Amino acid sequence: MRRVALPEIGTFEAWRAAARDLLAEGVPPEQVLWHRGAAEADLFAVAGDPEQALSGDHFGGTPVPPAKAVTVPKGFVQLARMVVWHRDPERFARLYALLWALRDSRGLLEDRGDPRVDRLNRMAKEVGRDKHKMTAFVRFRDLGHDGPRRRFAAWFEPTHLILEPTAPFFEKRFGDMDWSIFTPDLTAHFVDGQTRFEPAVARPDLPQDAAEELWRTYFRNIFNPARLKVKAMQAEMPRKYWRNMPEAELIPELIATAQSRARAMAEAAPTLAPARAARIGARLRAPEAAEVPQGLDALKAGLAGCRRCPLWENATQPVPGEGPLDAPLMIVGEQPGDHEDLAGRPFVGPAGQLFDVVAARAGLRRDRAFVTNAVKHFKFTPRGKRRLHQAPNGGEIRHCRWWLDLEREMVKPRLILAMGATALESLTGDRRDLMKRRGRLEAAEDGTPVLITMHPSYLLRLPPSERPQAEAAFEADLRQAAGIIAAAA
Ligand code: URA
């Protein structure tokens, strides 16, 4: 009997190497005992015959004969890549048995009626579904700064052993921050762009943070009582995940009150004006006729109720400008992005972080500037679970200028830095030829000098070969802004 001990990290590669060697040697499935990590080794403690042990892809004692090249169908490798993360202790044996059978019957993988193939396909689907749930339901808590990067941590209880194969999703999605994901099986720490896996620890006591209330607000807003299908909702968001999701607390209450709220909506419906009329009404009520808010708090409160254009409907919240009211510099971007929409603060996501780095190099102090956007709500198209940025159109920029003008009135900056074409359009009325006009000083309608530069998101989208030159130009513009402010002081 052969015993194969697979490592907890790199399990797939180790299984593949061992299976390839065993197959090349002609070792039949019934003569192999597989296990991964210490926990599974215990399961086999009495059953195993420790005659020959294989650790990873090394035989203990007996030297490994060189493996002959074994080719397997591509579909099998894809299947194995998922199945190895299933919690079924028999998964490695099942895979090896199928691999063994494929030697004589290469078309077997297509045979949906074969119980071995069927079972492994179902296992692969279960793992895929679990990975998908993990990408949707991990809820990070903010641990604050521990250096230049923000730190986040989450506790998650997956059904299968999927932290390692799902980590690349989080590396890509949250590459701009440090994070840890704790699971009952394994821990992943992503620090400075590198992931390190460590053994599981007891569930850590993670702090509550403001994002939890945002999740609840978001969930409350997308919940439509008239379209409630409890079963479908629970299939999409199974109960087992609820205890680690702040918004799930609301579900029982929302379900309980759904019927009466749906009835109230139905009764009110005939009296509602058509959407277009409502929008026109809102526009008539809001703009020039509206009271002008006095002070930043009043401005924020007004912004929270802004219905001047339809962008408020899908955004989580408006994002007002922030910074000292006596700031000599006002920095204007396009609109909040995904991160800003959730945080309620401008330039906290990847573009903001790049801006901070370049500004520091250029000697420009963000904490002495009033930072804002031309448009205050996030405009996006949903694509699966992601929200893809969409540029605001001319009407949206025009409607939102009401708020930008108010901010400018309050701050009375000596200089405005317009980053990107949307800011340029809002401030000067003309968005054309941004790259020709960058580095120049123009004037806003009230005469405030406007220094034109590109948007930091533009730099993030450039191919690596073009980025250094463009970043140097951006840095030069920021240095020019810092120089103008210093000279005026
Ligand atoms: N891009 C912007 O223009 N503004 C933000 O606040 C974030 C990204």
Side-chain angles (χ1 to χ4, degrees), residues 98 108 111-119:
L98 182 62
L108 181 58
D111 183 356
R112 304 278 146 176
D114 183 283
R116 293 163 297 181
V117 176
D118 177 54
R119 170 89 178 129

Side-chain angles (χ1 to χ4, degrees), residues 382-431:
R383 177 78 48 81
K385 285 190 306 295
R386 299 183 54 208
R387 303 190 297 169
L388 299 186
H389 162 272
Q390 264 197 310
N393 62 34
E396 289 150 358
I397 297 171
R398 238 183 353 269
H399 288 308
C400 223
R401 201 163 64 207
W402 155 259
W403 298 109
L404 184 61
D405 285 347
L406 275 178
E407 287 176 327
R408 194 174 50 192
E409 262 298 290
M410 283 179 197
V411 179
K412 297 194 174 45
R414 287 170 191 252
L415 177 70
I416 302 176
L417 181 68
M419 299 200 299
T422 300
L424 190 57
E425 176 173 344
S426 180
L427 289 160
T428 69
D430 182 359
R431 64 185 292 129

Side-chain angles (χ1 to χ4, degrees), residues 106 157 184 217 422 463 482:
R106 284 187 72 81
E157 296 168 39
T217 308
T422 300

Side-chain angles (χ1 to χ4, degrees), residues 279-290:
R279 223 175 285 148
I280 292 168
R283 210 173 295 159
L284 287 176
R285 279 192 303 278
E288 286 62 41

Side-chain angles (χ1 to χ4, degrees), residues 333-337 340 345-347 351 373 455 457:
E334 181 190 72
Q335 61 168 348
E340 289 79 12
R345 296 185 50 214
F347 282 103
N373 284 298
H455 194 284
S457 299

Side-chain angles (χ1 to χ4, degrees), residues 163-241:
L163 181 55
E164 183 186 341
T166 316
F169 166 86
F170 293 97
E171 289 163 3
K172 222 162 143 196
R173 182 82 170 79
F174 301 109
D176 55 322
M177 59 200 209
D178 290 345
W179 48 258
S180 298
I181 300 179
F182 298 90
T183 75
D185 310 290
L186 191 68
T187 304
H189 298 290
F190 181 76
V191 178
D192 291 336
Q194 293 291 330
T195 303
R196 186 178 83 242
F197 292 97
E198 287 186 358
V201 293
R203 180 182 179 152
D205 202 9
L206 299 173
Q208 290 262 347
D209 66 30
E212 312 231 328
E213 195 42 48
L214 279 179
W215 275 111
R216 281 190 280 267
T217 308
Y218 175 71
F219 191 69
R220 214 181 261 122
N221 285 339
I222 59 167
F223 184 88
N224 180 347
R227 301 184 63 186
L228 177 66
K229 290 203 175 79
V230 179
K231 273 214 180 108
M233 188 184 78
Q234 290 192 5
E236 199 41 49
M237 194 196 273
R239 261 176 188 280
K240 62 168 286 215
Y241 298 109

Side-chain angles (χ1 to χ4, degrees), residues 64 115 140 231 336 357 470:
V64 191
F140 284 108
K231 273 214 180 108
V357 170

